[in-house]
DNA sequence: AACTCATCATACTGGACAGTCTAGTTTGAT
DNA sequence: ATCAAACTAGACTGTCCAGTATGATGAGTT
C-alpha cells in the first residue's frame, strides 16, 4: 500500500523506471560524452526499451539535462552538506583539502566535470547550474570560514577561497584529465601541504 | 626533383595550402568541437575543396591532431619564450599573473582548452602533448624562480608553482567556460592580489 | 604540344543514429 | 476478469556525414 494515494514521486514505479534510465544514461554519457552516446546504447545500458526512454524524456537533450541535474544535485547534498567548517585552521584546512581531493578523484566525478566543460557551449544552462550550486556554494562556505578567522589575515576571503579550491580542481584537471600524471608526476599531498602553508604561515608574522 | 631546389617547407605553395587548411580547421574545430565539425564545413571555411584536405591529411583525426599540434607549439613559443622571470617578487608575480590571465582570456585559447579537455579521452596523446609542452614547462620556469628566491620561504617550489598557475587557470575555467561570471562575479584582479599576498607576505615573518 | 601535379566542384556510397511507429505483452487497480 | 497504462522488441524513416570517385581546370616542365 502506498499511503492511500499520494504516491511519492521518489518511489512510485514510474519514478523507479525514470531512475533506472538515468542510471544507464549516467554510465554511457559520462563515459563517452554527449556526441559519443547513442540512445540505443542508453537503452541497452539501462535495460529498457528505447520507446520507454522517449516516454520519460523529451529527447536526447532532455535526458542529458535531467542527468546532469540529477548528478549535480545529488553530489551537492552529499558533499557540501557535510561539515560546517570549524576547528583549528591548519588541521582543518589540511583535512578539508584531503577529503575534497579524494572525493573529486572519483572517476564518475571527473567524467561529469569533463562532459560539463565539453558541452558548456551547447548547454550553458547546465554549466551555470553547476556554477551556481557547487562552485558558488563551496566558495561561500570557505570564505565564511576565512572571515571567521581574522588571525589568518586574509584580506579577500572570496578570492582566497577560490585559490584554495581552484588549486585542487586544476590539479585534478592537469594530472588526471590531461594525463599530466604520466608527464610530470606531482603528489596531491605536496600541493595540499604547500597550499595550507601559504595560508596558515602568514599568521606567524605581526 | 626535390632536393635540387630545397623549397622551404614553410613557404612552398604546398605548405601554404596546408596552412590555409589548418586556419580554416582552427576556426571550425575550436568553435564547434570535434563532433560538431564536418569536413565540408572545414573545406568551406578554408576556401578549399574537400579533396584537397584529404590530400594533405589522412582523415578527420589526422587533421585534428595536426591542428592541435600546430596551435600548441605556436602558443608555446609565443607565450612561454618570453621573459626569464627576474625582478622583485611582489611586482614580478603580480605582472606575471596579470599577463598570464590576460593572454589566457583570449577566446581562441579558451576554446582550445575546452576542446582539449572534451577530447582528452579520445585523444590522450594530444592532452599529453599539452601537458608536456605548456603545463610542465610553465611549472618548471616558475618553480625555478621560486627556488632562486629563498626569502620567499617556499618549501615546495613545484607545488607552489602549480598553485600559482592552477589558481588562474581554474579561475578562467569557472568564470568564463562555466559561466560563473554571471552567477558569482569575481574580479581576476582580486584573485591575483590575494594570490601574490599569500606568497609574498609570508616573508615578513621570522 | 604533351605530361604531370595540385586543385576544384560535385556527385556518390555506406554507415551511424535520432526519433517514430507498430504490434504484442506485462502489470496492477477495481 | 477486465481495462488502461506502461512496457518491450524491432522495424522503419530521414538526416547527417566521413570518405571516395569522377572529371575538368590550370600551371609549370620538358
Amino acid at each position: 500500500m502506498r499511503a492511500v494515494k499520494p504516491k511519492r514521486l521518489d518511489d512510485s514505479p514510474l519514478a523507479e523506471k525514470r531512475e533506472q534510465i538515468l542510471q544507464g544514461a549516467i554510465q554511457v554519457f559520462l563515459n563517452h560524452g554527449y556526441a559519443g552516446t547513442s540512445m540505443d546504447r542508453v537503452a541497452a545500458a539501462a535495460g529498457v526499451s528505447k520507446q520507454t526512454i522517449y516516454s520519460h524524456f523529451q529527447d536526447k537533450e532532455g535526458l542529458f539535462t535531467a542527468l546532469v541535474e540529477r548528478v549535480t544535485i545529488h553530489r551537492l547534498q552529499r558533499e557540501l552538506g557535510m561539515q560546517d567548517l570549524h576547528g583549528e585552521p591548519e588541521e582543518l584546512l589540511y583535512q578539508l583539502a584531503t577529503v575534497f581531493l579524494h572525493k573529486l578523484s572519483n572517476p564518475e566525478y571527473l567524467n561529469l566535470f569533463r562532459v560539463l566543460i565539453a558541452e558548456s557551449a551547447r548547454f550553458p544552462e547546465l554549466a551555470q547550474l553547476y556554477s551556481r550550486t557547487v562552485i558558488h556554494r563551496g566558495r561561500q562556505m570557505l570564505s565564511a570560514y576565512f572571515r571567521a578567522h581574522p588571525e589568518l589575515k586574509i584580506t579577500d576571503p572570496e578570492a582566497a577561497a577560490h585559490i584554495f579550491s581552484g588549486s585542487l580542481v586544476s590539479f585534478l584537471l592537469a594530472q588526471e584529465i590531461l594525463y599530466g600524471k604520466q608527464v610530470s608526476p606531482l603528489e596531491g599531498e605536496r600541493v595540499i601541504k604547500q597550499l595550507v602553508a601559504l595560508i596558515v604561515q602568514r599568521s606567524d608574522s605581526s
Side-chain angles (χ1 to χ4, degrees), chain A residues 96-200:
Chain A
L96 187 63
T98 303
V99 170
F100 187 72
L101 205 56
H102 184 257
K103 285 199 172 160
L104 263 61
S105 300
N106 171 10
E108 191 181 302
Y109 202 105
L110 289 178
N111 283 335
L112 170 67
F113 205 62
R114 167 162 46 209
V115 172
L116 266 183
I117 293 171
E119 302 301 331
S120 64
R122 197 206 296 246
F123 299 96
E125 340 76 50
L126 294 183
Q128 281 190 37
L129 170 72
Y130 191 78
S131 291
R132 208 180 321 118
T133 55
V134 180
I135 300 179
H136 181 64
R137 284 193 213 198
R139 191 186 291 161
Q140 290 300 99
M141 278 177 79
L142 195 49
S143 63
Y145 178 82
F146 286 147
R147 242 184 276 276
H149 287 260
E151 77 272 20
L152 291 174
K153 289 183 188 152
I154 286 170
T155 54
D156 192 333
E158 268 101 20
H162 164 77
I163 291 168
F164 191 86
S165 51
S167 296
L168 299 174
V169 168
S170 64
F171 176 76
L172 291 172
L173 192 70
Q175 298 301 106
E176 305 289 337
I177 297 182
L178 295 180
Y179 304 99
K181 193 190 264 184
Q182 293 147 44
V183 171
S184 55
L186 176 61
E187 277 296 317
E189 182 82 7
R190 285 173 59 188
V191 174
I192 293 177
K193 280 187 171 145
Q194 182 63 61
L195 188 55
V196 172
L198 286 179
I199 293 174
V200 170

Side-chain angles (χ1 to χ4, degrees), chain A residues 21-31 67 70-71 108:
Chain A
I21 295 169
L22 284 175
Q23 285 305 324
I26 287 171
Q27 295 308 315
V28 188
F29 274 100
L30 294 195
N31 279 305
L67 178 168
R70 159 70 219 284
V71 176
E108 191 181 302

Side-chain angles (χ1 to χ4, degrees), chain A residues 25-135:
Chain A
I26 287 171
Q27 295 308 315
V28 188
F29 274 100
L30 294 195
N31 279 305
H32 301 92
Y34 184 83
T37 293
S38 77
M39 296 298 269
D40 284 288
R41 215 159 161 189
V42 172
V48 131
S49 96
K50 196 158 63 151
Q51 200 49 242
T52 303
I53 298 180
Y54 281 98
S55 74
H56 282 264
F57 302 93
Q58 221 211 332
D59 52 16
K60 193 180 177 184
E61 290 198 5
L63 174 59
F64 181 65
T65 300
L67 178 168
V68 172
E69 287 170 352
R70 159 70 219 284
V71 176
T72 303
I73 303 298
H74 238 237
R75 293 281 158 168
L76 178 71
Q77 293 174 341
R78 198 178 311 182
E79 319 227 331
L80 278 183
M82 40 179 192
Q83 334 87 323
D84 255 331
L85 303 192
H86 46 70
E88 207 51 45
E90 178 153 10
E91 176 64 13
L92 177 118
L93 290 175
Y94 180 82
Q95 291 293 342
L96 187 63
T98 303
V99 170
F100 187 72
L101 205 56
H102 184 257
K103 285 199 172 160
L104 263 61
S105 300
N106 171 10
E108 191 181 302
Y109 202 105
L110 289 178
N111 283 335
L112 170 67
F113 205 62
R114 167 162 46 209
V115 172
L116 266 183
I117 293 171
E119 302 301 331
S120 64
R122 197 206 296 246
F123 299 96
E125 340 76 50
L126 294 183
Q128 281 190 37
L129 170 72
Y130 191 78
S131 291
R132 208 180 321 118
T133 55
V134 180
I135 300 179

